[in-house]
Amino acid sequence: MDISSAKFECSAPDLDSCPDEALPEFAFIGRSNVGKSSLLNVLAGKDGLARVSPTPGFTKMINIFTMNKTWRLVDLPGYGFASGARKDSAKFNQAVVNYLKHRTNLCSVFALIESALPPQDIDLEFVEWLTRNAVPYVIVFTKADKVTPAEAQANMAAFMERIAGWFEVSPKTFTCSATTGNGRAELLGVIDELMKAIAAEAEAKPPAPPEVTPFRSVNQLARHNRKRRPDMNRPW
Ligand code: GDP
């Protein structure tokens, strides 16, 4: 997939402030300093798309970009940062939790994990949370150029070993480097594939009748939304 346009849509402080759910969304998230901003700039082919910040945890908003006028790239706040106001530095902030649980047009999360480090508890916790909440995700190991290939391999294998028991089929994994650009085509390929699957599914299905029943509770709404999520061959 080529990126022909990347347009900043908005910075949303919470789920309610996010734009309509008309376009499929692909969300990127990871521990602060995992290399998310750098990777997003490489993916978009546009420096400055996501701010490359020297201060961990600076970006606390849900930043949304419309790509190729057909899908949205969502830059979620990093988790687990230590600096900044204590109240804001909850491990996984509530806006992110709400977005991941209830955003009906969220097609896949790209969970970024640094390949230059051995498995970090905070990342394991986050991936476990995604799994428990049935959020569709793939794992993206970042900064593959930072250590030797053997070291990166060992770290990635150790991470996958720690989570192996949670699934019958392990999630898809990708390795990339914002420095070399390796992995870019593969990540855009995932988005392309899911977009095609969604288009095929939409074509096969007659349009749903308009929703008329009001929801009695947030939980009921969540259950309804989960059913409406496109079936995208969840990786577990
Ligand atoms: P974020 O906090 O997750 O958005 O991380 P940034 O993109 O701001 O990157 C954090 C630091 O890691 C910066 O100093 C980047 O230059 C560096 N970095 C990011 N990606 C890579 C990479 O692929 N390879 C290497 N060697 N360093 C990287």
Side-chain angles (χ1 to χ4, degrees):
M1 184 203 291
D2 271 350
I3 301 294
S4 51
S5 66
K7 177 176 164 258
F8 173 71
E9 215 52 64
C10 68
S11 284
D14 53 32
L15 179 62
D16 286 345
S17 316
C18 289
D20 65 43
E21 300 184 326
L23 294 179
E25 290 180 351
F26 299 88
F28 290 75
I29 185 167
R31 187 182 43 77
S32 298
N33 215 39
V34 71
K36 181 176 50 113
S37 308
S38 309
L39 179 65
L40 292 184
N41 289 335
V42 167
L43 279 185
K46 195 169 178 174
D47 271 1
L49 177 85
R51 194 177 192 287
V52 180
S53 163
T55 316
F58 183 84
T59 312
K60 294 176 187 174
M61 300 285 226
I62 297 173
N63 296 305
I64 303 181
F65 304 84
T66 298
M67 314 296 286
N68 292 353
K69 300 185 178 161
T70 50
W71 59 278
R72 295 200 194 112
L73 184 156
V74 179
D75 175 9
L76 291 173
Y79 53 75
F81 46 86
S83 63
R86 199 65 224 161
K87 193 157 66 71
D88 291 333
S89 42
K91 277 185 188 167
F92 315 136
N93 86 39
Q94 195 55 43
V96 173
V97 165
N98 288 340
Y99 175 88
L100 292 174
K101 278 179 142 178
H102 304 304
R103 187 75 168 160
T104 59
N105 55 333
L106 170 62
C107 290
S108 184
V109 169
F110 290 72
L112 309 189
I113 309 290
E114 189 168 334
S115 68
L117 298 173
Q120 306 286 298
D121 286 345
I122 185 87
D123 291 330
L124 290 162
E125 245 177 81
F126 179 66
V127 171
E128 186 190 7
W129 185 91
L130 288 177
T131 309
R132 248 191 298 114
N133 286 280
V135 180
Y137 70 92
V138 299
I139 291 180
V140 179
F141 290 105
T142 62
K143 304 192 190 178
D145 66 286
K146 202 175 164 185
V147 290
T148 65
E151 278 172 288
Q153 268 308 326
N155 290 331
M156 294 188 288
F159 190 89
M160 294 313 288
E161 203 172 298
R162 292 283 296 273
I163 70 171
W166 302 348
F167 331 82
E168 282 176 26
V169 181
S170 292
K172 284 188 187 159
T173 62
F174 298 87
T175 307
C176 63
S177 160
T179 307
T180 65
N182 283 351
R184 176 181 189 269
E186 288 77 3
L187 294 183
L188 290 176
V190 173
I191 294 170
D192 207 18
E193 220 174 88
L194 289 171
M195 294 278 293
K196 283 182 182 144
I198 292 163
E201 197 187 297
E203 218 164 86
K205 249 193 221 162
E211 192 63 64
V212 286
T213 324
F215 293 103
R216 282 193 302 277
S217 69
V218 172
N219 281 345
Q220 193 188 1
L221 174 63
R223 274 199 301 280
H224 168 82
N225 284 344
R226 192 164 297 290
K227 277 194 217 129
R228 281 175 53 212
R229 276 189 183 174
D231 175 12
M232 71 225 29
N233 302 321
R234 296 196 168 157
W236 56 87

